[in-house]
Amino acid sequence: MQASTNNLNQGKAPETIFGQWIGKFEGKSSQDGSFAFPGFATFNIERDRPQSGFACIDQGQQIHGSRKDFTLQIGAGNRITGQSASTIVFDWRKNETISVEESVRRQEGKVFYFEEITIDEGFIDATTLTCSWHGKYRGQSIPGTFNATRLKQSEPSQPDKIQSWEEFKRFAAELIKGRGKYIFRGQASSNHRLKTSFHRENRYDLLRYNEEDCKRLEQHINATSFRQYNRSNPADFGALLSLAQHHGFPTPLLDWSWSPYVAAYFALSSRLKTEPASDNHRIYVLDATAWKNDTAQALHFADPRPVITVEEFPAHNNPRHLPQQSVHAFSNVEDIEGWIRFRERINKRQYLTIIDIPRLEREFAMRDLAYMGVTAASLFPGLDGVCRSLKEQFFP
């Protein structure tokens, strides 16, 4: 144990302990077994903080969600123990964080929170986190278990369809008949999964992100922008993140478009330095209407539920927003594809369709898009767009 702890202090923690695990927890009274409380939780450990983690706990719409922070010890063989440090409660109905005492009052004393939780013995690796724990409440020691799986997958998803450019246009023409129902995203490579730029930095703690990173972002942008942003206003905050995202700042937003052809441009316009034969251009199609109707939608960073929320933010100070027909998906889940597929299995319906277009189709498709008026010049107003558009024309 001592040797492993020293390795953590020296920044040599094993890669397998960083990530996000989602699974089921259950506790039961140790005295008479008169009550049990099952639920689901995500457990998160960030790369730069290997000796701390946090659990986001979801027990359904009738009970407030909560977050517990832990101090951790990782021992030999990826054994894990820990102790809770603090608790934050989230009220779904009012969309706000509250104290434990206020949560008990609002729920008329029908719930309780542990004074402390101890992770007694656990194991963590690249795919699994399991542990036994006990919580103390009014002198009782209540035992429980947590069994979770890491959603993150290294392998790319298989496409639902491989289509020529002409086949894709016919497919898209059918989809856009239901205007506003579907959103689209293009990616240059079929070897990359859907993941926000925030999660690509191996970050998971959105409360930390809000209080540290976004606080500084707000200060700097307000110092240089003619429009002042206010993080306490949800619409303002969304516009701030959308603007920052388009200029390279990592956010928990994923860019989508209402237009299949704008998405196709982003999939087809990038040419990779190495293009293996198995790598295609990829376009994602999400049934946004069904997804929003069937799953939890939340934008508050303290919301502990795993969510992918489709939202269209104001286009303040962002000239790219309208020509790109931008819409965003906010996510606190690292593996977006994995979570959507999980919800598809539960709800027994398909939300996400993955289309691959072979690289041999690129040159013709880009010419076709240019005739439609979908070019860098139209999507990126200003000098950058003009130069990118001329590059596409003269150096195809």
Side-chain angles (χ1 to χ4, degrees):
M1 170 71 79
Q2 185 62 46
S4 179
T5 302
N6 286 340
N7 284 343
L8 284 177
N9 291 333
Q10 297 169 12
K12 298 179 181 179
E15 282 293 313
T16 51
I17 76 164
F18 306 120
Q20 184 180 69
W21 292 262
I22 300 180
K24 183 178 181 180
F25 72 89
E26 186 171 18
K28 184 176 293 186
S29 167
S30 61
Q31 292 186 354
D32 57 12
S34 59
F35 63 88
F37 45 94
F40 287 88
T42 60
F43 199 90
N44 309 262
I45 305 176
E46 295 188 315
R47 183 182 299 275
D48 64 335
R49 297 187 177 185
Q51 291 177 306
S52 63
F54 64 97
C56 293
I57 300 168
D58 176 13
Q59 291 180 264
Q61 292 284 15
Q62 302 306 313
I63 301 176
H64 293 162
S66 61
R67 163 179 162 151
K68 286 194 174 290
D69 289 76
F70 288 84
T71 57
L72 302 175
Q73 298 82 44
I74 310 297
N78 282 10
R79 298 293 170 182
I80 182 172
T81 58
Q83 187 73 39
S84 63
S86 62
T87 301
I88 297 172
V89 183
F90 186 76
D91 186 336
W92 316 114
R93 293 177 180 83
K94 296 191 176 182
N95 207 38
E96 63 181 1
T97 56
I98 55 177
S99 67
V100 167
E101 293 76 16
E102 177 62 14
S103 175
V104 172
R105 187 192 69 79
R106 290 185 185 182
Q107 297 179 98
E108 300 176 343
K110 297 177 182 178
V111 299
F112 70 88
Y113 293 89
F114 291 119
E115 289 121 16
E116 60 182 68
I117 293 178
T118 300
I119 300 173
D120 298 309
E121 182 179 1
F123 172 78
I124 186 171
D125 66 12
T127 59
T128 303
L129 193 163
T130 60
C131 69
S132 59
W133 55 269
H134 73 273
K136 292 184 179 179
Y137 177 68
R138 294 185 177 179
Q140 286 195 66
S141 179
I142 301 174
T145 57
F146 179 53
N147 296 283
T149 301
R150 190 173 183 176
L151 272 181
K152 180 180 178 180
Q153 300 294 322
S154 58
E155 295 297 319
S157 298
Q158 293 300 308
D160 295 289
K161 304 174 187 290
I162 299 178
Q163 295 181 332
S164 68
W165 176 243
E166 290 297 331
E167 288 171 332
F168 175 75
K169 286 197 297 181
R170 290 194 292 270
F171 173 76
E174 288 299 314
L175 291 184
I176 61 179
K177 289 179 180 177
R179 180 169 175 78
K181 179 176 173 61
Y182 297 95
I183 58 175
F184 305 84
R185 175 177 171 83
Q187 293 190 172
S189 172
S190 60
N191 288 327
H192 299 152
R193 294 171 70 88
L194 290 176
K195 185 187 290 190
T196 72
S197 53
F198 171 77
H199 289 100
R200 286 198 292 269
E201 298 293 331
N202 296 296
R203 293 279 299 277
Y204 308 98
D205 191 344
L206 288 171
L207 290 183
R208 173 192 174 192
Y209 174 74
N210 180 28
E211 291 303 317
E212 296 178 8
D213 309 276
C214 292
K215 181 178 181 179
R216 186 66 61 86
L217 173 70
E218 180 186 32
Q219 292 170 345
H220 280 259
I221 289 186
N222 282 347
T224 58
S225 171
F226 63 85
R227 190 191 190 285
Q228 300 297 288
Y229 294 89
N230 179 5
R231 282 186 302 132
S232 63
N233 182 312
D236 241 22
F237 198 4
L240 174 68
L241 291 180
S242 176
L243 175 64
Q245 167 108 335
H246 282 185
H247 290 278
F249 187 80
T251 78
L253 304 180
L254 202 62
D255 289 326
W256 295 73
S257 174
W258 293 111
S259 167
Y261 304 111
V262 170
Y265 172 86
F266 283 104
L268 295 159
S269 61
S270 297
R271 290 171 296 174
L272 305 179
K273 292 181 179 179
T274 57
E275 297 181 349
S278 61
D279 192 19
N280 296 318
H281 302 284
R282 175 155 287 187
I283 299 172
Y284 293 90
V285 183
L286 180 66
D287 187 338
T289 298
W291 179 259
K292 291 172 72 172
N293 288 338
D294 294 350
T295 68
Q297 299 288 288
L299 281 172
H300 199 296
F301 281 178
D303 195 323
R305 296 171 295 180
V307 294
I308 299 168
T309 300
V310 178
E311 187 72 23
E312 190 169 10
F313 296 116
H316 302 316
N317 203 28
N318 188 352
R320 300 178 182 181
H321 185 98
L322 294 179
Q324 293 178 14
Q325 300 183 52
S326 292
V327 62
H328 295 91
F330 160 77
S331 179
N332 57 15
V333 178
E334 178 180 21
D335 186 353
I336 291 175
E337 289 177 51
W339 183 248
I340 292 176
R341 295 308 188 198
F342 175 73
R343 298 301 309 181
E344 286 178 337
R345 291 192 294 272
I346 290 177
N347 296 344
K348 295 181 173 56
R349 67 182 302 177
Q350 185 172 356
Y351 301 105
L352 185 69
T353 302
I354 301 176
I355 308 295
D356 276 4
I357 298 177
R359 294 202 171 274
L360 291 176
E361 298 283 316
R362 179 184 184 276
E363 185 175 350
F364 169 66
M366 288 296 290
R367 287 203 310 270
D368 201 13
L369 286 169
Y371 281 114
M372 296 179 190
V374 183
T375 66
S378 65
L379 298 178
F380 300 91
L383 186 58
D384 284 348
V386 170
C387 291
R388 288 177 62 166
S389 183
L390 291 174
K391 179 182 176 182
E392 291 165 1
Q393 180 179 350
F394 294 116
F395 302 94

